[in-house]
Amino acid sequence: MLNNYFKLQYRIISRSFEEFGFNKYLLVPVILAFYISLFYFISLSPSWGVYLVSLLNFQWLFALSEFNRNEFLRNTFETKDFHFIRLLENFSVSLGTIIVLTISGNYLLVGILLALCVLFVFISTNSIWSNRIPTPFTRKPFEFIIGFRSTWLLIVLLYSIAVIGLVYSNQNLALVSMFVLCLCSAFYYQEPEPFMFFWNQNRKPVEFIWYKIKRGIIQLSILLIPLLLLQILFFPSELYKPILVWGLGILLIPFTISLKYAAYPEKVGISEGIILALCLAFYPLILAIIPYYYFKAIANLKKIS
């Protein structure tokens, strides 16, 4: 049964890869190229690149430990098999990062990541009670409320890292935490709402997209303002740095919303994910791509409205 489970996961990943137009045999070379790019990124930005890569891996572990997913596996497999599956999954998504961090000499982060691989076998990151966690966001739109409640542990960790960085005069660490918060918020828009939700709203496509963008920028700013104020307190002469990160994060909101509704009612696919990765590698590319997906989203919503 374990063998069938992992075969099924491989088929799902391979099929998603083929939907983008690639041969499934290119999957491994693409993964290798991705981690080589991460190593190159760390080499270019050694002071904060390792933290960004580590937090990215943490988010993968976080997602794999989602409560409903864990409950399904617990109900399907025996306890011993469940622990084995979760441990193998955690080490599989972390192996590349561990190798990259080891080569770059960041042994402390390697140890922390190994510990997290084991820890996330035994905890779920989104339990039933998390639905009752109060949020600083309004009921509509729904993305930030659901996203906040499913990633609250990551948000607490990022705030903690930022505070530690500020206390120990490491502003780069705080800036990385701010930007990872922006990335985390961008992923809140991955899941499409039920078609009935869109159909029942009373806005035209252009008004609807701009409403979501304005609300997204406000809600992202609510997450970032506490860290911005702390940086004013600790680094008043370098206020431009957190403001720049804030601006870069704001660009992600129209970008991810346009991606979402260009694909709606389907989920954002691998192709859009790769485009997002390219934009993160070369950030000014976002400015060129936003108009394309914005008009594509408008056209798509006009067809289904």
Side-chain angles (χ1 to χ4, degrees):
M1 193 165 179
L2 285 175
N3 190 37
N4 290 334
Y5 173 78
F6 287 112
K7 282 183 177 179
L8 177 61
Q9 296 305 308
Y10 174 74
R11 287 180 182 175
I12 292 173
I13 295 171
S14 298
R15 190 167 298 170
S16 299
F17 195 68
E18 288 176 336
E19 285 176 358
F20 181 58
F22 288 113
N23 189 294
K24 66 179 181 179
Y25 296 109
L26 292 175
L27 181 59
V28 173
V30 168
I31 293 174
L32 289 174
F34 172 74
Y35 283 106
I36 290 171
S37 300
L38 285 185
F39 178 73
Y40 178 68
F41 172 70
I42 290 175
S43 301
L44 291 177
S45 307
S47 60
W48 58 273
V50 289
Y51 299 110
L52 184 58
V53 171
S54 300
L55 286 169
L56 175 64
N57 202 119
F58 178 86
Q59 178 61 29
W60 291 337
L61 294 174
F62 197 94
L64 286 175
S65 298
E66 195 272 329
F67 176 78
N68 292 325
R69 184 176 188 276
N70 275 354
E71 283 301 293
F72 170 77
L73 292 175
R74 281 196 183 96
N75 293 330
T76 305
F77 298 97
E78 296 180 359
T79 302
K80 181 179 67 173
D81 293 336
F82 166 75
H83 288 156
F84 175 76
I85 288 172
R86 291 293 299 108
L87 190 63
L88 188 57
E89 286 179 337
N90 288 348
F91 277 107
S92 295
V93 300
S94 302
L95 180 60
T97 306
I98 289 171
I99 292 173
V100 168
L101 292 176
T102 301
I103 295 173
S104 59
N106 294 278
Y107 304 114
L108 177 59
L109 287 175
V110 170
I112 293 173
L113 194 55
L114 288 171
L116 288 174
C117 287
V118 177
L119 178 64
F120 275 110
V121 172
F122 303 99
I123 65 173
S124 295
T125 55
N126 182 26
S127 60
I128 294 173
W129 62 267
S130 71
N131 293 327
R132 302 187 181 96
I133 292 177
T135 75
F137 311 116
T138 57
R139 188 164 58 90
K140 296 179 181 180
F142 66 93
E143 285 92 351
F144 267 78
I145 292 178
I146 295 176
F148 183 91
R149 287 174 172 165
S150 61
T151 59
W152 63 269
L153 182 59
L154 177 61
I155 293 172
V156 170
L157 176 66
L158 289 170
Y159 266 80
S160 302
I161 291 173
V163 171
I164 291 171
L166 293 173
V167 169
Y168 288 95
S169 300
N170 187 344
Q171 190 184 19
N172 286 333
L173 200 55
L175 294 173
V176 169
S177 297
M178 282 186 67
F179 189 69
V180 175
L181 268 176
C182 297
L183 285 178
C184 183
S185 300
F187 286 111
Y188 293 167
Y189 292 94
Q190 278 188 314
E191 291 293 328
E193 63 264 43
F195 181 73
M196 188 62 67
F197 284 16
F198 169 75
W199 192 78
N200 282 339
Q201 58 88 27
N202 296 320
R203 296 177 179 87
K204 295 179 180 179
V206 173
E207 296 172 342
F208 176 73
I209 292 290
W210 275 106
Y211 167 73
K212 299 282 274 197
I213 290 173
K214 286 186 288 186
R215 295 301 303 170
I217 290 173
I218 292 171
Q219 291 173 323
L220 173 61
S221 298
I222 290 172
L223 274 182
L224 296 181
I225 283 175
L227 293 181
L228 180 66
L229 294 176
L230 283 174
Q231 298 212 44
I232 293 175
L233 179 64
F234 283 90
F235 296 94
S237 63
E238 297 185 335
L239 180 58
Y240 70 94
K241 291 182 179 179
I243 290 178
L244 177 61
V245 173
W246 191 2
L248 293 175
I250 284 175
L251 282 177
L252 284 173
I253 297 299
F255 179 60
T256 53
I257 288 175
S258 298
L259 281 179
K260 174 181 178 177
Y261 290 105
Y264 189 81
E266 303 296 328
K267 285 186 177 182
V268 172
I270 291 180
S271 58
E272 289 83 8
I274 291 177
I275 289 170
L276 176 58
L278 290 173
C279 289
L280 292 176
F282 184 66
Y283 216 81
L285 192 59
I286 287 182
L287 294 173
I289 292 180
I290 285 176
Y292 169 76
Y293 277 101
Y294 169 77
F295 289 111
K296 187 176 179 181
I298 297 299
N300 183 46
L301 293 181
K302 284 181 178 178
K303 292 178 182 177
I304 61 179
S305 60

